[in-house]
Amino acid sequence: MPGEARTSKTGRLPPACIPCRRRKSRCHTEPGSSMCTTCRAHSSECFFPGDPRDQGNAQLTRRRRKGTAAPARQMPRPAEAITAALLDQDSHPLPLPPLPSPPPAPSPIPGSKVQESPLALASRDDQQQNLHIVGPAGRDDSQVLADYLAGFPGGTRSARMIVPVSAAHSRPVLFTMVDKRPVGTAEDRSVSAQKLVIIEKLLEPYIGLLVDEYFKKSNACLPLLDEDSFRRQFQDDKDQISPALLACLYAHSLIYWRHSPDLVLLRCPDTRFIWNLANEALYSELHLSPGMSIISALLLNVGGRPNTSLIGNGLMLGSAVSMAYSLGLNRSPLHWDIPQPEKYLRMKIWWALLVNDRWMSLAHGTPPHISRSHHDVPWPKMVYFCENEATDVQRRTASVYIALVGLSDVLDHHLQRIYQIHQDKDSTPGKLEASLNGWVDSLEGSTRLIVLRGTWLHIPGAANLRLAYLTTRLLQQRIELETEKQQSNTDEAQLSNKHTQARRTAEEILMLTQELQAEQLGDFWLSITAFTFPATVNFLLRCALDTEDSPQALAQSPFFQIAHSLMNVLRLYQEKYEWDIGNVCLAQHSDIINKILAGALSNEPQTSQSMQTPDFIMPDASIMDEFYPSLWDPLQNAW
């Protein structure tokens, strides 16, 4: 077999195949393949020395041994050289034909290492180079130049083209090799590795239990890693996993420590200290050797709880989006000639990035980084997450996540309306309502009951989905209310109706929060959900100030009563269960609520104008650092 002929027992480089020798190009054969990668790209025959097809080459070797040289080949003129190189007998002009189907990979032997993907799209973090996607404008030019240079000694360029299985679905995608590290830096991962060693020493011997909690809680509701391949590599070859990824995974999972039946009776290490170490490992690896794993590590860091870093998380998310574009994660890999698990993993990372980008944009008050016109990754389906033997809980959990991704796309329409400087005439609040109602109508089974009635909250991620839906609906109603206020001919009754609709949605948020049990409080929550409650209380207090004209009436307003009750239940969960999602709301509005109550009980006469002091102007997310330096100081926080 040619694959066996490529094995070298002397430590020397294995011989190249005959067509690669003629092309004077590098020859590389992958395990389990009978053809080298260059011959596969050119759709040419691939045979090695000793093959019967190598008769001509053997005769040439005998002539050289006898001292007779073959007739010198006449050098073509420059124009003829280009034509001859592009129309070589082993190459084909663009576009390249589809690659032949590779032979089926042998089933893995128990206890042996699983072979890496043949494409190896930056899947190993110890590689010195990354594959960087070539833009559509220069793809054809780069491929023609690469084919031409293949005919010169040492003139090859490191490039790899991914040809779709069917040319009718998509065009070929070209990748080129780029260095990971800055010029002059040594190949040394000791900084991030040392931080990981300290973290693991603090967590021993409960690292395995912490990893179990991550896949049970976080990864089940927001899939980011392939559990089977991760556990296999974690057990057999842990050193090949990115230290930053492991450090952020450990720190990310600490929030579930007190909710785990196996860990709750054990002393939890200092969460802030571990997060500081994970940050140092992450920033070191991001600077020295960023790869595919760094995107997952960044998303784990951004999604870490409790959420106390505004600018830091925004910078990390921007870095993750930039890396994703560089690695081509925004392109659909369904028709690429790569293994199926790698396709699913690339799409999962992109969906997680998309969800975080949309909701963080709403929470932080900044436009999203990802535009819907810059990616063609398909929307998630059940087949991407569950196999035939999947349990009912796994299928219901996957359906919740699929609905969350769809809701994030609906939220993007609202974000475009909010951040658009020059408003589009076609972007009306009615279309926003139609998009949200269309998403609700697409839901089925238990997922529909979760969204509309707040039942089935025992499904992992269900409570987070219900709150996300109510947040989007309240945002839509706030947009409608602002639109009504800007119109000069607005009817007072119509404006009052808009206030009532928004108040009912806020009341549903209150009832959902009151109905949460310890099981839901210890379940998965997006870290940016912490901004939902202060935004809701902020809106309720504003509506109370707009509709009431005295301190007593303000304290008795239904808007204020809902805000007060929401603050009370959040304070109860913080004291009894240490639920961190309400910390931001309590820090921002506790003093404000108390001052309103004190003003209503005071005997001093106050007017509605005196109530509207700077203390009652709700701080926007962009100025939280000034109001709450203990929480938002980027020099003191760890997340």
Side-chain angles (χ1 to χ4, degrees), residues 28-82:
H28 174 68
T29 304
E30 299 162 346
S33 177
S34 60
M35 299 177 63
C36 70
T37 55
T38 306
C39 290
R40 287 182 60 193
H42 289 284
S43 298
S44 61
E45 291 185 338
C46 183
F47 53 95
F48 296 86
D51 191 276
R53 291 169 289 183
D54 189 27
Q55 296 179 357
N57 188 68
Q59 294 176 0
L60 177 61
T61 304
R62 288 194 296 268
R63 285 198 302 267
R64 289 178 177 176
R65 289 179 179 177
K66 294 179 180 179
T68 59
R73 183 177 179 181
Q74 183 180 1
M75 293 297 295
R77 294 187 298 273
E80 297 175 351
I82 298 177

Side-chain angles (χ1 to χ4, degrees), residues 82 86 94 139-150 174:
I82 298 177
L86 292 178
L94 291 177
R139 179 182 55 237
D140 295 341
D141 299 339
S142 299
Q143 183 61 25
V144 171
L145 183 58
D147 290 344
Y148 172 68
L149 293 178
L174 183 66

Side-chain angles (χ1 to χ4, degrees), residues 198-216:
I198 299 175
I199 293 176
E200 291 183 336
K201 288 299 181 182
L202 293 173
L203 297 176
E204 287 180 349
Y206 311 115
I207 294 177
L209 295 176
L210 202 60
V211 172
D212 293 341
E213 286 298 316
Y214 168 74
F215 283 104
K216 178 182 177 182

Side-chain angles (χ1 to χ4, degrees), residues 155 185 315 484 623:
T185 58
L315 293 175
E484 292 291 339
I623 58 173

Side-chain angles (χ1 to χ4, degrees), residues 104-126:
S107 43
I109 303 175
S112 63
K113 298 182 181 179
V114 177
Q115 297 294 338
E116 189 186 22
S117 160
L119 184 59
L121 292 181
S123 58
R124 289 180 54 188
D125 295 276
D126 57 347

Side-chain angles (χ1 to χ4, degrees), residues 141-171:
D141 299 339
S142 299
Q143 183 61 25
V144 171
L145 183 58
D147 290 344
Y148 172 68
L149 293 178
F152 293 86
T156 57
R157 302 179 64 181
S158 298
R160 181 168 295 181
M161 173 167 284
I162 309 303
V163 182
V165 178
S166 176
H169 291 88
S170 60
R171 299 180 62 186

Side-chain angles (χ1 to χ4, degrees), residues 284-300:
S284 173
E285 194 165 316
L286 181 63
H287 168 65
L288 293 177
S289 57
M292 182 77 76
S293 298
I294 202 68
I295 303 178
S296 301
L298 288 168
L299 291 177
L300 288 173

